Amino acid sequence: METLVWVIHIIAALGTIGLVLMQHGKGADMGAAFGSGASGSLFGSSGSANFLSRATAIFATLFFLTSLTLTYFSSHKTRHVGVMESHSLMQPAAPVDAAKQVVPVVPAPAGVDGSKSGEIPK
């Protein structure tokens, strides 16, 4: 589905670019007023603006709709998890018997009462 939207999106983008480049701007009418005769086009002087303008509007609307659709697709990505990936590979720890547990012996600090008053130089 996403690939189809990408194809439509690219076609709409290229169509919009092509139609905008085919249209003549407002400055072309100024040249026609001085006798160059460039205002007439393939579709006629009045028909070209309507056809090209409407086609450009359709392609631009299609481009914006596919842009919004692709944004929706990218924000709602679902990660396909297989059967093996859905379960944790870690095994639960075996219960430890308290009688067999070895507690390391930590030596007492330098001071008998645990203070470090004897370590401070005078």
Side-chain angles (χ1 to χ4, degrees), residues 23-24 43-57:
Q23 294 180 27
H24 67 280
F43 301 106
S45 60
S46 63
S48 66
N50 290 337
F51 172 75
L52 292 178
S53 297
R54 289 182 185 172
T56 304

PDB file of all heavy atoms in Angstrom, residues 23-24 43-57:
ATOM      1  N   GLN A  23       3.258  26.360 -18.279  1.00  0.00           N
ATOM      2  CA  GLN A  23       2.415  27.558 -18.254  1.00  0.00           C
ATOM      3  C   GLN A  23       3.267  28.788 -18.518  1.00  0.00           C
ATOM      4  O   GLN A  23       4.431  28.852 -18.139  1.00  0.00           O
ATOM      5  CB  GLN A  23       1.730  27.689 -16.896  1.00  0.00           C
ATOM      6  CG  GLN A  23       0.731  26.594 -16.631  1.00  0.00           C
ATOM      7  CD  GLN A  23       0.074  26.753 -15.284  1.00  0.00           C
ATOM      8  OE1 GLN A  23      -0.036  27.847 -14.758  1.00  0.00           O
ATOM      9  NE2 GLN A  23      -0.372  25.642 -14.724  1.00  0.00           N
ATOM     10  N   HIS A  24       2.663  29.753 -19.145  1.00  0.00           N
ATOM     11  CA  HIS A  24       3.367  31.009 -19.334  1.00  0.00           C
ATOM     12  C   HIS A  24       2.965  31.954 -18.209  1.00  0.00           C
ATOM     13  O   HIS A  24       1.836  31.922 -17.714  1.00  0.00           O
ATOM     14  CB  HIS A  24       3.064  31.611 -20.717  1.00  0.00           C
ATOM     15  CG  HIS A  24       1.647  32.052 -20.887  1.00  0.00           C
ATOM     16  ND1 HIS A  24       0.641  31.183 -21.172  1.00  0.00           N
ATOM     17  CD2 HIS A  24       1.079  33.289 -20.814  1.00  0.00           C
ATOM     18  CE1 HIS A  24      -0.505  31.850 -21.266  1.00  0.00           C
ATOM     19  NE2 HIS A  24      -0.267  33.122 -21.049  1.00  0.00           N
ATOM     20  N   PHE A  43      -3.046  25.403 -26.669  1.00  0.00           N
ATOM     21  CA  PHE A  43      -4.468  25.258 -26.359  1.00  0.00           C
ATOM     22  C   PHE A  43      -5.268  26.519 -26.639  1.00  0.00           C
ATOM     23  O   PHE A  43      -6.430  26.596 -26.301  1.00  0.00           O
ATOM     24  CB  PHE A  43      -4.637  24.872 -24.885  1.00  0.00           C
ATOM     25  CG  PHE A  43      -3.925  23.591 -24.554  1.00  0.00           C
ATOM     26  CD1 PHE A  43      -2.751  23.604 -23.831  1.00  0.00           C
ATOM     27  CD2 PHE A  43      -4.425  22.371 -24.976  1.00  0.00           C
ATOM     28  CE1 PHE A  43      -2.094  22.430 -23.524  1.00  0.00           C
ATOM     29  CE2 PHE A  43      -3.773  21.196 -24.678  1.00  0.00           C
ATOM     30  CZ  PHE A  43      -2.601  21.219 -23.954  1.00  0.00           C
ATOM     31  N   GLY A  44      -4.659  27.529 -27.193  1.00  0.00           N
ATOM     32  CA  GLY A  44      -5.347  28.797 -27.413  1.00  0.00           C
ATOM     33  C   GLY A  44      -5.048  29.749 -26.269  1.00  0.00           C
ATOM     34  O   GLY A  44      -4.606  29.353 -25.199  1.00  0.00           O
ATOM     35  N   SER A  45      -5.313  31.013 -26.477  1.00  0.00           N
ATOM     36  CA  SER A  45      -4.920  31.996 -25.472  1.00  0.00           C
ATOM     37  C   SER A  45      -5.771  31.925 -24.211  1.00  0.00           C
ATOM     38  O   SER A  45      -5.286  32.180 -23.124  1.00  0.00           O
ATOM     39  CB  SER A  45      -4.977  33.408 -26.055  1.00  0.00           C
ATOM     40  OG  SER A  45      -6.305  33.684 -26.477  1.00  0.00           O
ATOM     41  N   SER A  46      -7.057  31.572 -24.323  1.00  0.00           N
ATOM     42  CA  SER A  46      -7.873  31.531 -23.108  1.00  0.00           C
ATOM     43  C   SER A  46      -7.993  30.106 -22.563  1.00  0.00           C
ATOM     44  O   SER A  46      -8.093  29.906 -21.356  1.00  0.00           O
ATOM     45  CB  SER A  46      -9.271  32.097 -23.389  1.00  0.00           C
ATOM     46  OG  SER A  46      -9.921  31.276 -24.345  1.00  0.00           O
ATOM     47  N   GLY A  47      -7.989  29.102 -23.430  1.00  0.00           N
ATOM     48  CA  GLY A  47      -8.159  27.725 -22.997  1.00  0.00           C
ATOM     49  C   GLY A  47      -6.957  27.166 -22.269  1.00  0.00           C
ATOM     50  O   GLY A  47      -7.085  26.278 -21.447  1.00  0.00           O
ATOM     51  N   SER A  48      -5.774  27.663 -22.563  1.00  0.00           N
ATOM     52  CA  SER A  48      -4.572  27.129 -21.937  1.00  0.00           C
ATOM     53  C   SER A  48      -4.543  27.442 -20.446  1.00  0.00           C
ATOM     54  O   SER A  48      -4.122  26.617 -19.651  1.00  0.00           O
ATOM     55  CB  SER A  48      -3.325  27.680 -22.616  1.00  0.00           C
ATOM     56  OG  SER A  48      -3.222  29.071 -22.393  1.00  0.00           O
ATOM     57  N   ALA A  49      -4.979  28.604 -20.086  1.00  0.00           N
ATOM     58  CA  ALA A  49      -4.939  28.974 -18.671  1.00  0.00           C
ATOM     59  C   ALA A  49      -5.908  28.109 -17.871  1.00  0.00           C
ATOM     60  O   ALA A  49      -5.575  27.651 -16.778  1.00  0.00           O
ATOM     61  CB  ALA A  49      -5.276  30.448 -18.509  1.00  0.00           C
ATOM     62  N   ASN A  50      -7.082  27.848 -18.417  1.00  0.00           N
ATOM     63  CA  ASN A  50      -8.053  27.045 -17.676  1.00  0.00           C
ATOM     64  C   ASN A  50      -7.605  25.589 -17.558  1.00  0.00           C
ATOM     65  O   ASN A  50      -7.625  25.009 -16.481  1.00  0.00           O
ATOM     66  CB  ASN A  50      -9.421  27.111 -18.359  1.00  0.00           C
ATOM     67  CG  ASN A  50     -10.049  28.478 -18.200  1.00  0.00           C
ATOM     68  OD1 ASN A  50      -9.714  29.204 -17.273  1.00  0.00           O
ATOM     69  ND2 ASN A  50     -10.934  28.821 -19.115  1.00  0.00           N
ATOM     70  N   PHE A  51      -7.214  24.988 -18.678  1.00  0.00           N
ATOM     71  CA  PHE A  51      -6.809  23.578 -18.644  1.00  0.00           C
ATOM     72  C   PHE A  51      -5.566  23.375 -17.794  1.00  0.00           C
ATOM     73  O   PHE A  51      -5.531  22.500 -16.920  1.00  0.00           O
ATOM     74  CB  PHE A  51      -6.562  23.075 -20.074  1.00  0.00           C
ATOM     75  CG  PHE A  51      -5.967  21.703 -20.114  1.00  0.00           C
ATOM     76  CD1 PHE A  51      -6.747  20.591 -19.841  1.00  0.00           C
ATOM     77  CD2 PHE A  51      -4.621  21.520 -20.394  1.00  0.00           C
ATOM     78  CE1 PHE A  51      -6.204  19.322 -19.849  1.00  0.00           C
ATOM     79  CE2 PHE A  51      -4.068  20.252 -20.409  1.00  0.00           C
ATOM     80  CZ  PHE A  51      -4.857  19.153 -20.147  1.00  0.00           C
ATOM     81  N   LEU A  52      -4.537  24.159 -18.034  1.00  0.00           N
ATOM     82  CA  LEU A  52      -3.288  23.985 -17.290  1.00  0.00           C
ATOM     83  C   LEU A  52      -3.459  24.344 -15.818  1.00  0.00           C
ATOM     84  O   LEU A  52      -2.878  23.694 -14.942  1.00  0.00           O
ATOM     85  CB  LEU A  52      -2.170  24.815 -17.929  1.00  0.00           C
ATOM     86  CG  LEU A  52      -1.700  24.351 -19.306  1.00  0.00           C
ATOM     87  CD1 LEU A  52      -0.627  25.271 -19.852  1.00  0.00           C
ATOM     88  CD2 LEU A  52      -1.184  22.928 -19.241  1.00  0.00           C
ATOM     89  N   SER A  53      -4.253  25.356 -15.530  1.00  0.00           N
ATOM     90  CA  SER A  53      -4.471  25.749 -14.129  1.00  0.00           C
ATOM     91  C   SER A  53      -5.218  24.664 -13.366  1.00  0.00           C
ATOM     92  O   SER A  53      -4.866  24.334 -12.232  1.00  0.00           O
ATOM     93  CB  SER A  53      -5.252  27.055 -14.055  1.00  0.00           C
ATOM     94  OG  SER A  53      -4.512  28.094 -14.638  1.00  0.00           O
ATOM     95  N   ARG A  54      -6.241  24.114 -14.001  1.00  0.00           N
ATOM     96  CA  ARG A  54      -7.002  23.054 -13.331  1.00  0.00           C
ATOM     97  C   ARG A  54      -6.179  21.785 -13.170  1.00  0.00           C
ATOM     98  O   ARG A  54      -6.226  21.127 -12.134  1.00  0.00           O
ATOM     99  CB  ARG A  54      -8.283  22.764 -14.092  1.00  0.00           C
ATOM    100  CG  ARG A  54      -9.288  23.874 -13.953  1.00  0.00           C
ATOM    101  CD  ARG A  54     -10.561  23.562 -14.668  1.00  0.00           C
ATOM    102  NE  ARG A  54     -11.461  24.715 -14.601  1.00  0.00           N
ATOM    103  CZ  ARG A  54     -12.574  24.803 -15.254  1.00  0.00           C
ATOM    104  NH1 ARG A  54     -12.950  23.825 -16.048  1.00  0.00           N
ATOM    105  NH2 ARG A  54     -13.330  25.871 -15.138  1.00  0.00           N
ATOM    106  N   ALA A  55      -5.427  21.426 -14.205  1.00  0.00           N
ATOM    107  CA  ALA A  55      -4.582  20.232 -14.108  1.00  0.00           C
ATOM    108  C   ALA A  55      -3.508  20.418 -13.033  1.00  0.00           C
ATOM    109  O   ALA A  55      -3.212  19.492 -12.270  1.00  0.00           O
ATOM    110  CB  ALA A  55      -3.937  19.932 -15.455  1.00  0.00           C
ATOM    111  N   THR A  56      -2.941  21.619 -12.943  1.00  0.00           N
ATOM    112  CA  THR A  56      -1.940  21.900 -11.906  1.00  0.00           C
ATOM    113  C   THR A  56      -2.575  21.809 -10.526  1.00  0.00           C
ATOM    114  O   THR A  56      -1.969  21.258  -9.598  1.00  0.00           O
ATOM    115  CB  THR A  56      -1.330  23.295 -12.125  1.00  0.00           C
ATOM    116  OG1 THR A  56      -0.782  23.359 -13.438  1.00  0.00           O
ATOM    117  CG2 THR A  56      -0.234  23.573 -11.116  1.00  0.00           C
ATOM    118  N   ALA A  57      -3.775  22.330 -10.384  1.00  0.00           N
ATOM    119  CA  ALA A  57      -4.457  22.267  -9.082  1.00  0.00           C
ATOM    120  C   ALA A  57      -4.752  20.817  -8.693  1.00  0.00           C
ATOM    121  O   ALA A  57      -4.608  20.444  -7.522  1.00  0.00           O
ATOM    122  CB  ALA A  57      -5.741  23.078  -9.128  1.00  0.00           C
TER     123      ALA A  57
END
